Amino acid sequence: MCYIEAVATHLNLTHDIKEVVPDATLRRRMSRIVKMATAAAFECTGGVQGIAALDAIVTATGLGCLTDSERFLEQIHRTGGQMLNPTPFIQSTFNTVGAQIALLAKNRCYNMTYVHRSRSFESALTDAMLQLKEGDARRVLAGAFDENTPTQHHIMERMGFWRKAEDGEGAVFTLLTAEATANSMARVSRVEFLSSPLSEQQCRERYATCSDGQVWRSLDKTVYPCRSALRFAEAVEEVRKGVPEIVVYNEYFGKEPTVIVLQCL
Amino acid sequence: METLVRELKEHLIRELNLEDITPEDIDSKAPLFGDEGLGLDSIDALEIILILEKNYGIKLQNSAEAKPVFYSVETLAEYIAKNRR
């Protein structure tokens, strides 16, 4: 169990990134998804002072920083592994976002990144909840990000992914606390990883604790590995508005089902 | 030399992704590294080594010679003019 104090969702780069990252050297090496995710983390925590006050930063991504990964691989292919530019390599690593967030406030707290395909966000959430439960942290920033690129879109198109769905991207961050505060919006009561898919009825029977709660099956048309983080953010907003409980069930193309249960305070 | 200096500045802007900077904004005599001038860092130094190799066929053999060569755009251009292939 943990409490949600803030949630920020960025589906495109709208923030003035110069305000978020004043250091031009840091900024000029950041790709679009890194800027988007850093801006979401910045908004979620309320700025540099909020980041400095964090006890843990836990990020999640299904495919990582694809633009820089593609640039790096393309260079290897073109040059045969010779004369590789360092920046795309450095920026393509999965923990780039977590590191950039920490660098903004020079925060040396626990910093972990989970890369477990569509279960990445739930993995990060689980780690964050354990940090809070065991008393190692009192304020944890957890988030997920994934970007799409023309190459990735093309490859997945050839695999037939876009016959029934379209790709998406975005960054979602949430600020979690061990205790409820005056700013708490909802609480996360459960996160589970399932071995086989569940129907809506099965989800309700297994996870719902009140009759007027809702079950959300995240099977809509826009998909990307960390899509469940976006559904989580949308569900927090609904719980804040008064829905007593939402069971967020996520499946990625019929695989790797997970459940997050959110409850009102 | 003037053409080479301008070309080098354009390479630096493009490869180092220098935001909101035009070739005219870069002082050819100003230091490339440190707090003055462009304020580049060690990762940028690696990128400049690649600019020299890819565009001018220059491979720096001796790291000791790099410091004075990498001082400014002007010193880089002079080195390229003498050593390009």
Side-chain angles (χ1 to χ4, degrees), chain A residues 52 64 68 70 89 99 105 108 128-129 133 138 143 151 153 170 176 179 194 220 224 232 236 241 243 247 249 251:
Chain A
D68 282 311
E70 285 176 11
F89 168 66
R108 293 179 176 82
M129 289 170 76
K133 186 182 175 187
R138 301 200 62 76
T151 308
H153 184 88
L176 305 169
E179 307 290 338
L194 309 176
D220 47 13
Y224 54 96
F232 166 88
V236 170
K241 284 180 189 166
V243 177
V247 176
Y249 172 85
E251 248 183 60

Side-chain angles (χ1 to χ4, degrees), chain A residues 18 25 27-29 35 83-87 90, chain B residues 16-17 19-20 41 43-44 46-47 50 53-54:
Chain A
K18 286 182 184 172
T25 304
R27 199 171 57 232
R28 69 185 158 86
R29 295 198 180 114
K35 286 177 182 170
M83 294 194 288
L84 300 172
N85 292 70
T87 306
I90 296 165
Chain B
L16 308 182
N17 197 19
E19 288 179 335
D20 307 327
D41 60 20
I43 297 171
D44 297 315
L46 292 172
E47 296 280 6
L50 290 172
E53 274 193 58
K54 283 179 185 172

Side-chain angles (χ1 to χ4, degrees), chain B:
Chain B
M1 182 62 87
E2 211 171 285
T3 313
L4 178 58
V5 165
R6 185 173 178 89
E7 187 183 282
L8 193 53
K9 286 178 181 178
E10 284 168 356
H11 278 308
L12 291 173
I13 290 168
R14 191 171 53 250
E15 297 297 328
L16 308 182
N17 197 19
L18 300 175
E19 288 179 335
D20 307 327
I21 290 180
T22 64
E24 290 73 27
D25 296 331
I26 302 174
D27 179 354
S28 303
K29 293 181 188 298
L32 290 172
F33 297 88
D35 295 335
E36 298 169 51
L38 278 183
L40 304 184
D41 60 20
S42 57
I43 297 171
D44 297 315
L46 292 172
E47 296 280 6
I48 294 172
I49 289 170
L50 290 172
I51 291 173
L52 296 184
E53 274 193 58
K54 283 179 185 172
N55 299 286
Y56 305 105
I58 295 172
K59 225 172 185 169
L60 279 168
Q61 303 291 350
N62 180 2
S63 58
E65 72 179 343
K67 202 174 177 185
V69 171
F70 281 33
Y71 179 76
S72 66
V73 171
E74 194 176 80
T75 55
L76 264 177
E78 282 166 4
Y79 186 79
I80 291 167
K82 278 183 204 159
N83 298 282
R84 71 191 303 174
R85 290 175 190 172

Side-chain angles (χ1 to χ4, degrees), chain A residues 72-97:
Chain A
F72 184 60
L73 291 172
E74 190 270 330
Q75 280 177 10
I76 292 175
H77 179 68
R78 186 162 36 86
T79 66
Q82 303 294 311
M83 294 194 288
L84 300 172
N85 292 70
T87 306
F89 168 66
I90 296 165
Q91 296 295 90
S92 68
T93 54
F94 295 114
N95 58 358
T96 297
V97 167

